[in-house]
Amino acid sequence: RQQEQQQRQRQRQPPKVEVPAKLVLHMMKDKELRGKLQSLGLPTDGQRKELEERYSSYRRFIQAKLDEGSCLTQTELRIAFLRQQKHLATALRTAAAPITNTLTFLASGPSGWGSKLGGSGRDSAAAASSHAALIADTKRRKEEQRRLQQQQQQKEQEQQQQHQHQHHHH
């Protein structure tokens, strides 16, 4: 009985988590924005665009978690956010390298394709089929990347649901 009451109290008072304020980012000085990120315990490195994106993503992330009814504390949420960012950055890096190589190759134009593929410029049938293969490969990699991101998000949702169950069963 007492346990039930405690549990009810806990459900009534989820940890106090604040969604960071919606800032007019483009009006802020770099220094102010970095200060804001730092006060939230977020990294302050990178280009201006990255800083703005980091702040906005964090706001969206916290809002989404609260909407899901997350029981995590602000610190736990921040850690989850940073982990997600790291995974996304890694996935993007690994997916981007082959794409960049493909684009460089395509930019060389059909006359370049033949010679790159070890034939003459006249060898354009081979170049065209190889070009098609490259595009298919790039598509496949993008799909793979999307799949990885979805798996990652799913994993995090499952972890959170488990986390919530643990909280409710204490």
Side-chain angles (χ1 to χ4, degrees), residues 18-70:
E18 305 247 330
V19 179
K22 180 147 181 55
L23 300 175
V24 188
L25 295 174
H26 65 271
M27 300 284 286
M28 293 176 77
K29 295 193 177 74
D30 273 22
K31 202 173 167 175
E32 294 175 302
L33 182 51
R34 285 182 208 275
K36 194 74 192 144
L37 288 166
Q38 194 173 12
S39 73
L40 292 167
L42 298 174
T44 58
D45 58 308
Q47 302 286 313
R48 174 69 194 210
K49 273 264 164 277
E50 296 170 71
L51 300 177
E52 292 184 6
E53 183 47 41
R54 189 173 299 142
Y55 186 83
S56 305
S57 298
Y58 184 62
R59 277 196 74 235
R60 284 194 304 271
F61 180 85
I62 299 290
Q63 189 60 68
K65 294 303 173 205
L66 291 181
D67 292 345
E68 287 167 18
S70 161

Side-chain angles (χ1 to χ4, degrees), residues 91-104 141:
L92 285 170
R93 251 202 317 281
T94 28
I99 293 171
T100 311
N101 298 344
T102 304
L103 292 175
T104 312
R141 282 179 202 277

Side-chain angles (χ1 to χ4, degrees), residues 44-143:
T44 58
D45 58 308
Q47 302 286 313
R48 174 69 194 210
K49 273 264 164 277
E50 296 170 71
L51 300 177
E52 292 184 6
E53 183 47 41
R54 189 173 299 142
Y55 186 83
S56 305
S57 298
Y58 184 62
R59 277 196 74 235
R60 284 194 304 271
F61 180 85
I62 299 290
Q63 189 60 68
K65 294 303 173 205
L66 291 181
D67 292 345
E68 287 167 18
S70 161
C71 292
L72 300 177
T73 64
Q74 193 97 43
T75 303
E76 290 168 321
L77 284 170
R78 185 182 70 237
I79 290 166
F81 172 76
L82 292 172
R83 198 176 298 137
Q84 181 196 58
Q85 295 287 297
K86 209 203 297 355
H87 281 297
L88 288 177
T90 309
L92 285 170
R93 251 202 317 281
T94 28
I99 293 171
T100 311
N101 298 344
T102 304
L103 292 175
T104 312
F105 172 74
L106 296 180
S108 67
S111 58
W113 300 345
S115 52
K116 283 252 187 7
L117 297 167
S120 68
R122 283 195 306 276
D123 212 355
S124 52
S129 74
S130 158
H131 174 217
L134 269 168
I135 286 183
D137 191 49
T138 306
K139 263 205 188 113
R140 244 203 328 277
R141 282 179 202 277
K142 280 191 163 158
E143 282 301 315

